[in-house]
Amino acid sequence: YNLYAEQLSGTSFTTPRVFNQRSWLYRIRPTIGHKPFQPLKGDEANPRLISNFLTNGITYPSQIRWKPFPLCKESEQVDFVQGLSTVGGSGSPDLKTGFAIHM
């Protein structure tokens, strides 16, 4: 059938192997080969559906990548907290809702 097999894991990497939950998906083309997301226009769009509750911004589901974070100079002293960078999140600290993802 010329399908691509992909495995979707539903458990964390620390879960013992016997408890792993995963599914095999078979696609016509690999996930990475899909065309970029195009938002609906005009009458097709639904203005009642939003993804960002603070600014009504749009979240695009296309696969993206980011460049590696810059390394500090050898002469710099950096502790753990100074070495963190935010890569994503949702909500607002002012409203005490949401979350942030740091690496």
Side-chain angles (χ1 to χ4, degrees), residues 39-72:
L40 297 175
K41 302 210 182 335
D43 294 336
E44 298 173 333
N46 184 347
R48 296 173 309 203
L49 298 177
I50 58 174
S51 59
N52 186 334
F53 295 97
L54 297 178
T55 62
N56 290 339
I58 297 172
T59 302
Y60 293 99
S62 298
Q63 287 188 329
I64 57 174
R65 299 179 190 186
W66 58 81
K67 295 179 180 176
F69 297 114
L71 296 175
C72 62

Side-chain angles (χ1 to χ4, degrees), residues 26-45:
Y26 297 92
R27 300 177 177 265
I28 294 171
R29 65 176 72 99
T31 303
I32 196 72
H34 287 269
K35 295 179 182 174
F37 169 76
Q38 294 291 325
L40 297 175
K41 302 210 182 335
D43 294 336
E44 298 173 333

Side-chain angles (χ1 to χ4, degrees), residues 66-74 76 78 82-85 103:
W66 58 81
K67 295 179 180 176
F69 297 114
L71 296 175
C72 62
K73 297 177 181 137
E74 287 186 32
E76 286 183 280
V78 177
Q82 291 171 333
L84 290 174
S85 295
M103 292 183 84

